[in-house]
Amino acid sequence: MTESSPQDIYSGTSQALEFPKISFRRMTQLVWKTWPFMRPMLKHIIVLLLVGFLQGIIFAGSLFVAGDIFTNKVLVGEKVQPFQAWAMGLDESYVKEEFEPGTEETDDHDDVESEEPRGLLATLVGLVGIEPVEEEKEDQAEETDADDEANKLTGEQRKVVRDRMIILLAFLSLLGGVMYGVVLPYYGRWVWHNVNQNLRVAMIERAEHLSLRYHSNTRVGDAIFRVYQDSGVIISLLEEGIIGPVSIIYSLVLGLVFIAFFDPLVALVCVLVLVPIVLLVYLFTPRIRRRSLVNRRSYSDLTSRLQESFSAIKVVKVNRAESRILDRFNTDSERALDAALALRLEMVFLGVLVAIVGGVAMLGLEFVMVKWVVEDRETFLGAMVVAFIGFTVWNLGAFNAANSRVEDTAEATRGLTRVWARLQDLFIALERAFFLLDLKPEVDDPENPREFPESIRKISWRNVHFAYTNQRILSGVNLTAEAGTVTAIVGQTGAGKSTLLSMLLRLYDPDEGRVLIEEEDLRDLRIDDIRHNTAIALQRNVLFAATVEENIRYSSVDASREDVEAAARVACADEFIRSLPNGYDTELGERGGKLSTGQRQRLSIARAVVRDTPILILDEPTASLDAATEHQVLANLAQWGRNKVVFIITHRLSTIRNADQIAFLEDGRIVEIGTHAKLLDREDGYYRKFVDAETVGKVAS
Amino acid sequence: MTDMSLDTVDRQVRFDDRIDIDTEITNRESLVIVGRSFKLLSQVKKLFAAKIVLGLNVMVPVLIVPWLGKILVDNVLLQKPFGETDIPYPPFMDPVITWLTGLDPLEIMLRLTLFYVAMLVLIGMRVGGTYAGTFEGGDAASEAENQISGAYSEASGLFGLVEFWVNVRLTQRIANRLRTRLFERMSQLPMTTLDDQRIGDSIYRVLYDAPSVPDVCYQITIRPFYTLLVSLINMYLIKYTYGAVIPEVVWVAWVMLPLAFLFVFPVSGLLRRVNQTKRAAGSATTNSMEEAVNNIDAVQSLGGMEHEVNRFAERSSESFRRERFAMLAWMLILVVGFVVIAIGALYITILITNKIIEGQMTPGDFWVLFGIYYGLSEAAITLGGFWINLQRSVAAVRRVFFFIDYASDEDLAGEQVLEPIRQGVSMDNVEFCYPDGTKALSDINLELSIGELVALVGPTGAGKTSLAYLIPALLKPTSGRVSIDGVDLNEVELDSLRGQVAYVFQEHLLLSETIRENLLLANPGASEQDMVSALETAGCMGFIDRMPDGIDTVLGRSGNTLSVGQQQRLSIARGLVRDARILILDEPTAALDPATENALVDALRRATEGRLVVVIAHRLSTIRRADRIIFLEEGTIRESGTHESMMADEDSHYRRFVELQNE
């Protein structure tokens, strides 16, 4: 197809490798394509996003306050801010003296406090049912240390502050922990699994509906790999590729705002460092993409080979080709592993460079901020929120807070780079996944399908042409078959007999000419209607890993057990099925190993019969049956199919002879048509020669 | 009716598995699995040693960083001189302390910063480790890729790059060796097993289960090694520096490890079970897709698309559900562990702050101690989760070892090398039953000699194919003896046997390679001349000449661009190119037109010189030209002889069989 086959990558030089040009527009297009699969889950995705946003603000805010209380108040012993006192239910002796006379702002707080003296913590404690035991000690402490340094907490007070903070934090983190540690991740996974499910099903649906021409040109394993590996990444695209970066950028901006709160200069430096980092990323992006493509293709190749080896395992065994197949697997596997390493090295190399650039900036800023602490320099906006937090000048707490913000910013940048690198891989994967979804099924429903004819009396091919990619199969076939007749299609191996009849099911459409049911062109009818009215027993006896009954009932779900048994009787299968260990409930292996070919053929026939459709196609279904069984089956079918149009492909004279008309296919055309007797009369006729060849053995004896 | 519904329930639980059904693993079994994984490391000794040595860099930040933090807080930010409290620095910090003593705070900071920068470039200190996982879709397939090639290094910087590289190669090599071995074993499974084994499951095991092995290796060696090393050093440090001031911290540290282990051990069984079912459900999904895509022609022509899509959707959604169960189980365990750790952390915090408030310790000590506690608690989680973590991978690895251990053809075969066959095959009292008890052959006594063209004839299901399978030992008789030149096939080495038998199957299994490669598969030594003559004999040259690339044409999937008849001829050509002593053709002529058939039978007649040719056939035109006809019915030999002799007998089963054919 349009995609170069996997081998091209290895056989050709690296130039032969088509370079994936992914522009930004293409990327957004890809994201857009995932939209239909996300839409059913939209509500949930929005909830996830909102909760994430809230989480960022709440976490950053409470970390700041807690950090201030812990470092500056508990560890160093400074007095608490009014808001903190309120939240922890502390009295005025804990609060910095400069607030006692009060600004207007703090007055309000004091009012609040007096109205509700026990504060937030007390309410919580009350909820839990624990009495605050420290109340008395507190009062004592207040008395004794009254004339200590005005701006320091006493040792006892520091312990009180610490204990209350711990209770408050424990309560909050229990809530937060269950919410963000269990409930949300599970919920998130559920949402993304659903999106993935939507995509997977859409892909398999598409694969099922693609015309056989596509399937005969592509490896099955490739399709499997696409659905499985590549669709899995859609979750990543949304979860980590879109929501992830969005939340990283969000926390980056939030971090920068907080840093600017301490000092805008630091924030500016943080922003400037992004320039060389972006440059690095720009340089590495195309390299990563190229490696990623090689990686995915070689892995896909490995999967296909594996699939094929397992399905052809019998041939491998009898030919003692195990070691050769193993060598091949090994080569493929190592190739895939090398490709994986090459990709990862690019990613890691970029990561290390970005880490070093960002790290140096981070360490430089750390030095500067330490200098400010030593110099007791004022922070930029600390004075404005002094009621909540004690960061007016650079102190231990302020340094910890600001520095950890800077560290977070550096981490966010590294994270963003990582996500970017992985996104390149992701987009390659999506390209491949959507390749399948974008394929138009060659055979597709018409826009305004016509009604399927109610009764079928006539089916005809008119000047039908058909070619595979490089091989002409049919060139101008004309044929008409009527209800109540059996038409035998006869001809050389490879003459196109199966292809001709496949058109009745629209497995292929003719390149030229028309196939008509009554006077309706098949292309004007709905595929489902057509296939609903046509049953086929295939040459290749496909059995599914299910019970005998399920195999017969396949695709005619409403058939009752009685129908199944009746069909089995028509196909002369009832007897041997009953002799199986569990009768109709016997499990069949994928390759139907326990059944002989003839038995499988009879199951195929039963499967076609149980559908009871007006059109029946038998594609060499009796080749592996012995003559007696074949006669019986055909007699049953003739009886059963009195009003149906029956087609049969076969080489057996005994079968052909009884057909109502025989069509001889040669060189893509029907060269002779008529009854057995009529065709035998033609001296030098194709059919006559064919029959003579069949009887050579007989003549010799 | 109740029987049926029971059966369906049973099948759902087993996720279509037929062979590997019993998926419960006991602790003892997982111990064995772990032990076997450990042995795999002996194949990669050098890389493993390199990884261990390189990993030691993790000690640098663990040892130094908390103390540098203490210096930053106490001596720089709070501007205290060195040696103010009674907390001693550990001995390895001495050079650093001497280097910094007597400097003013900003000078200390400058030196610290320069040291940090150097360490940043070298080992990426303070910027985290190196990992290169690609996005995972939350399913086994993409997880597997990261398990193989994601690798991990605690370090970053230049050192981290090297360690990462070594690590990737280490995990890749372990996984590759194992999956190659698994592939090898699975390709040698006995035929009866293969019939029951689903292709999708095989793929899943090789590609997605095998990669869990390096993880098991990592979990049982590198991870606990460093965890223990780091925690022992930390405990020593706590004892050395803080033992005198707050002895309680020391025993809290010691208690943590066993406590964490105690908590999580009981749930390991649960975790193992959810992971086992998760994997089984995943492989059922792969399988339903595999089946649907592989049989696309049948699915489409039977109008089963809806059915297949629904089936896939159902499986896939079940598989996702199982994955979420596994995740939930894991998260609950984490929460329990986290709560235990948090309680410990609170206790430690209270202890330390008391000492700080009382002036025995400085604020800087808090960061040191808390850092160490954090390290220890992580170690506790790691070691406590040791067994549990293993279970996740053990579930996968069990699925790998299951087929590595499964008795294969090779194991059941003998060692005697079969000389070039001179006489032929003989069967004495042979009986064959399938594992489920279906009797396919009984009471078979037969001599087949080199130079004969033998036809196996009989009604469908008479056991013709089973009988033919006995010759290359694709099946082994349940009782009785099959021997070639007097050597019992049970004693024979398989290569020497199958090297002399060419078998053409009823199904035409072609690889999607070139025609040439398909032939070379059967006989790598075949010359161009050999191939062309085999192709001519089988009547292939007619259509091959019409192909653009001739013999080098690449076939489509499973040979689908060829018609079934053409595929059959190619399969026959593949059998002929072998030049084997015994040639078995299972209904070679069923899909051939009479002219091709006659040509083929002529060729087969010529081939009997120095060969035994066995043909399973229904067509009289083929049968009647055989030297001997063996007529099978219901798994036993009814009659044998030439066409004429058997036709002469008025009452023979064969005669009735032929007459029906001629009606």
Side-chain angles (χ1 to χ4, degrees), chain A residues 547 550 585 587, chain B residues 1-16:
Chain A
T547 62
E550 284 162 343
D585 297 319
E587 280 277 339
Chain B
M1 202 57 216
T2 24
D3 257 14
M4 248 185 72
S5 58
L6 265 179
D7 191 44
T8 357
V9 170
D10 190 37
R11 256 192 306 137
Q12 271 163 4
V13 176
R14 285 195 275 119
F15 301 103
D16 290 352

Side-chain angles (χ1 to χ4, degrees), chain B residues 480-496:
Chain B
R481 195 177 108 113
V482 182
S483 56
I484 290 183
D485 285 5
V487 185
D488 189 331
L489 289 191
N490 282 323
E491 323 270 292
V492 161
E493 197 248 341
L494 282 181
D495 265 321
S496 65

Side-chain angles (χ1 to χ4, degrees), chain A residues 210-241:
Chain A
L210 280 176
S211 97
L212 284 184
R213 220 189 292 212
Y214 173 78
H215 280 284
S216 52
N217 278 325
T218 338
R219 295 180 171 197
V220 203
D222 199 46
I224 293 183
F225 183 76
R226 271 165 205 233
V227 176
Y228 226 64
Q229 188 102 322
D230 295 351
S231 88
V233 294
I234 192 181
I235 288 210
S236 309
L237 169 71
L238 306 167
E239 204 173 359
E240 299 177 65

Side-chain angles (χ1 to χ4, degrees), chain A residues 197 307-308 333 407 597, chain B residues 126 176 290 316 506 512 521:
Chain A
Q197 171 83 356
Q307 195 273 339
E308 196 176 276
S333 164
E407 280 184 357
T597 316
Chain B
R126 295 188 59 186
N176 194 33
E290 206 276 338
S316 164
Q506 272 171 312
S512 44
L521 179 85

